């Protein structure tokens, strides 16, 4: 336990099991990521050649062009599976642009109690025990295909939509918090306080559990999640959103070219959120 | 004579009582959209009886199947029926002037929708106190973690 504490410095107050998991994730990352890719990315970011970085930036902006074209009067289907790819080598330590955008988008309010205040995304810093290498990444609901939260939910409130977005139906959630216990990523929060001034597109209230919805209203309307939008707008370009089932989506192309790691892939949850650059 | 008078008095008493009760709970005034060209998607009596069924059906379709933009959603009711009053303010769901609570108070039917949902159109939602507190909190936590990591370095 002490060892894992040294390995993973998590930037928000969490319990030790969360630290434990993250250290495992960091170690597992090195097994499958080829070292060349990391070097390629670091070089791209470090070289002060404006031409190169400009090209890379515009490429990354184009990368988020895979969006929903489903007519809104038709059901979601498994023709799509929405996902995200996060390049940790581009994610700056200390940057919270995605988290801020998320809080704004979903009208999340703090009560000065970081342990229980709702977080859909949090920034996590991992530090390798052996090399001292540090990396920073945003962690949110991983939108598991075989989601433990949905498995344990006694009411059917936790479910995974046909297009891969994991949601809580707050109309039938009884607030038992089984799903919070089951989620290996500690992605969910419980609303402890009465809420007012909710956003139209983000209904939320006391006594229910909630998590990242991959900005489902935006996605349904052909948009991209607020975090991805903010990260791209601020020119960090660390996040790509897209359709994992479409082999021609920029997300799938990038995954095919450079690969992407699932956090805790040993759990075989087939997550919709993938990471690059989890080097030790 | 008294045999007739007593029931008559009782009857008069009842009538007085019932009129005074009526006076205390007047029939609710319901906000009609100021734009008179707007028509409700269903006739009024149909809506009065069955709005909850429409909303419920829409709710499950939207939540689980991602079907959006059908006219019978809660947000559409709110968009037409909740508008600022003469003093430019929105009467919230906690007041009797709100379109929904006007009838629900009268009928004594508790309404839970607005524990989660916005009680007014998006443009009237006061967003000023959102997220800045969380942003400050996050920055503080990050700074503290940063300091801790610095200290831990060999
Ligand atoms: S990350 Fe957690 S909340 Fe999200 S789908 Fe997986 S188990 Fe459920
Ligand atoms: S808290 Fe709600 S969503 Fe989570 S398991 Fe319980 S009923 Fe299901």
């Amino acid at each position: 336990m002490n060892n894992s504490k040294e390995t993973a410095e998590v930037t928000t107050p969490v319990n030790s099991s969360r630290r434990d998991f993250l250290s495992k994730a960091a170690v597992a990352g090195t097994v499958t990521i080829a070292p060349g890719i990391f070097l390629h990315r670091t070089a791209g970011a470090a070289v002060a050649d404006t031409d190169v970085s400009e090209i890379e930036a515009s490429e990354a902006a184009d990368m988020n062009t895979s969006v929903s074209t489903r007519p809104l009067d038709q059901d979601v289907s498994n023709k799509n599976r929405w996902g995200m790819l996060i390049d940790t080598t581009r994610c700056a330590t200390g940057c919270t642009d995605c988290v801020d955008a998320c809080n704004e988008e979903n009208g999340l309010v703090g009560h000065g109690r970081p342990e229980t205040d709702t977080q859909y995304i949090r920034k996590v810093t991992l530090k390798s025990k052996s090399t001292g290498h540090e990396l920073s990444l945003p962690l949110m609901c991983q939108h598991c295909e075989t989601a433990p939260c949905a498995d344990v939910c006694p009411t059917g409130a936790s479910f995974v939509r046909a297009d891969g977005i994991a949601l809580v139906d707050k109309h039938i959630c009884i607030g038992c918090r089984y799903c919070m216990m089951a989620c290996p990523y500690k992605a969910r929060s419980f609303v402890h306080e009465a809420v007012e001034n909710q956003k139209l597109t983000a209904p939320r209230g006391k006594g229910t559990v909630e998590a990242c919805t991959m900005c489902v209203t935006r996605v349904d309307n052909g948009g991209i999640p607020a975090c991805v939008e903010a990260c791209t707008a601020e020119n960090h370009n660390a996040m790509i959103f897209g359709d994992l089932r479409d082999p021609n989506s920029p997300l799938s192309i990038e995954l095919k070219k450079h690969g992407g790691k699932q956090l805790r892939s040993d759990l075989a949850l087939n997550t919709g959120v993938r990471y690059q650059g989890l080097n030790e | 004579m008294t045999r007739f008078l007593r029931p008559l008095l009782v009857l008069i008493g009842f009538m007085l009582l019932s009129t005074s009760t009526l006076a205390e709970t007047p029939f609710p005034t319901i906000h009609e959209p100021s734009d008179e060209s707007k028509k409700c998607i269903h006739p009024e009596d149909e809506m009065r009886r069955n709005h909850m069924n429409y909303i419920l059906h829409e709710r499950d379709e939207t939540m689980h199947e991602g079907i959006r933009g059908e006219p019978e959603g809660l947000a559409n009711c709110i968009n037409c029926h909740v508008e600022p009053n003469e003093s430019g303010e929105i009467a919230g769901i906690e007041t009797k002037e709100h379109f929904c609570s006007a009838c629900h108070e009268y009928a004594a039917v508790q309404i839970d929708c607005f524990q989660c949902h916005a009680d007014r159109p998006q443009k009237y939602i006061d967003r000023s106190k959102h997220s800045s507190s969380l942003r400050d909190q996050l920055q503080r936590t990050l700074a503290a973690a940063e300091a801790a990591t610095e200290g831990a370095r060999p």
Side-chain angles (χ1 to χ4, degrees):
Chain A
M1 218 32 123
N2 280 343
N3 282 349
S4 71
K5 216 169 172 182
E6 280 161 32
T7 318
E9 269 307 325
V10 180
T11 52
T12 37
V14 287
N15 56 32
S16 58
S17 67
R18 198 183 278 172
R19 291 169 192 273
D20 219 19
F21 136 66
L22 286 164
S23 65
K24 278 184 207 142
V27 173
T30 47
V31 181
T32 45
I33 305 280
I37 295 151
F38 180 69
L39 289 174
H40 158 80
R41 289 295 200 190
T42 323
V47 168
D49 183 338
T50 38
D51 288 339
V52 174
S53 54
E54 265 167 24
I55 291 164
E56 281 202 348
S58 64
E59 262 178 13
D62 291 343
M63 291 220 157
N64 288 307
T65 49
S66 161
V67 293
S68 171
T69 51
R70 170 180 65 94
L72 280 177
D73 57 356
Q74 282 176 23
D75 297 13
V76 283
S77 71
N78 59 8
K79 282 192 210 99
N80 308 102
R81 171 142 196 241
W82 301 113
M84 286 195 252
L85 177 63
I86 295 160
D87 182 350
T88 60
T89 61
R90 293 170 180 228
C91 178
T93 310
C95 169
T96 60
D97 288 336
C98 56
V99 186
D100 295 341
C102 177
N103 293 343
E104 181 58 36
E105 176 69 19
N106 295 295
L108 305 182
V109 198
H111 297 276
R113 293 188 278 279
E115 290 84 0
T116 52
D117 280 346
T118 287
Q119 14 172 261
Y120 287 4
I121 317 182
R122 61 181 182 279
K123 278 300 293 285
V124 171
T125 307
L126 300 180
K127 189 175 174 185
S128 161
K129 197 163 47 169
S130 53
T131 63
H133 175 64
E134 247 182 50
L135 56 90
S136 175
L137 54 85
L139 188 72
M140 69 291 273
C141 171
Q142 304 288 297
H143 299 279
C144 315
E145 185 181 34
T146 47
C149 56
D151 269 357
V152 299
C153 178
T155 65
S158 285
F159 68 102
V160 182
R161 233 168 60 151
D163 60 357
I165 302 182
L167 295 170
V168 180
D169 184 346
K170 293 170 190 174
H171 304 106
I172 48 179
C173 170
I174 53 169
C176 68
R177 290 167 262 184
Y178 280 10
C179 55
M180 287 177 72
M181 304 299 286
C183 173
Y185 306 97
K186 294 273 176 276
R188 294 199 157 181
S189 303
F190 181 73
V191 185
H192 290 262
E193 326 272 341
V195 187
E196 47 185 29
N197 285 323
Q198 295 93 329
K199 285 195 73 174
L200 192 71
T201 49
R204 49 190 302 268
K206 183 176 171 179
T208 58
V209 162
E210 57 182 1
C212 156
T213 64
M214 220 188 260
C215 288
V216 64
T217 317
R218 278 170 167 254
V219 169
D220 282 351
N221 286 299
I224 64 171
C227 54
V228 181
E229 190 177 272
C231 188
T232 309
E234 296 298 324
N235 236 347
H236 309 306
N237 301 317
M239 300 171 105
I240 305 175
F241 167 82
D243 186 355
L244 290 164
R245 283 233 167 91
D246 172 7
N248 297 318
S249 74
L251 174 64
S252 301
I253 291 169
E254 173 64 18
L255 275 170
K256 190 171 178 197
K257 206 151 73 181
H258 293 127
K261 178 83 189 146
Q262 301 180 39
L263 294 181
R264 283 303 301 272
S265 53
D266 56 319
L267 296 174
L269 302 175
N270 191 10
T271 57
V273 180
R274 312 286 169 91
Y275 291 83
Q276 290 179 330
L278 295 176
N279 290 40
E280 219 182 338
Chain B
M1 192 62 193
T2 43
R3 258 178 51 200
F4 292 103
L5 202 60
R6 202 171 285 168
L8 199 67
L9 277 176
V10 170
L11 197 68
I12 291 171
F14 262 122
M15 281 168 74
L16 279 174
L17 240 165
S18 55
T19 39
S20 70
T21 336
L22 273 182
E24 273 164 27
T25 43
F27 194 75
T29 34
I30 294 161
H31 180 83
E32 302 281 348
S34 56
D35 179 357
E36 280 166 18
S37 65
K38 279 187 185 169
K39 276 263 168 298
C40 192
I41 49 170
H42 295 295
E44 203 171 289
D45 50 353
E46 166 73 5
M47 265 318 203
R48 276 202 188 143
R49 275 186 197 90
N50 294 324
H51 64 281
M52 65 299 268
N53 300 333
Y54 287 120
I55 294 174
L56 186 65
H57 178 64
E58 182 74 357
R59 171 195 110 175
D60 291 342
E61 279 194 340
T62 303
M63 188 75 229
H64 294 264
E65 286 153 26
I67 293 171
R68 292 176 195 276
E70 288 196 351
E72 282 116 349
L74 177 65
N76 277 350
C77 305
I78 296 293
N79 274 342
C80 279
H81 286 284
V82 181
E83 292 179 303
N85 56 22
E86 297 88 55
S87 44
E89 279 161 9
I90 299 272
I93 189 69
E94 67 287 349
T95 68
K96 272 188 199 165
E97 290 102 84
H98 189 275
F99 173 69
C100 301
S101 50
C103 280
H104 276 264
E105 288 243 337
Y106 180 77
V109 178
Q110 193 184 333
I111 185 169
D112 294 333
C113 308
F114 301 100
Q115 288 175 15
C116 284
H117 285 281
D119 64 351
R120 60 198 67 197
Q122 178 77 64
K123 60 180 174 219
Y124 302 120
I125 297 174
D126 174 17
R127 309 267 308 112
S128 57
K129 53 183 169 188
H130 279 185
S131 77
S132 60
S133 59
L134 264 183
R135 184 179 303 148
D136 298 345
Q137 184 170 303
L138 182 64
Q139 288 302 344
R140 276 199 304 277
T141 330
L142 279 178
E146 183 78 359
T149 331
E150 291 296 322
R153 262 179 208 144

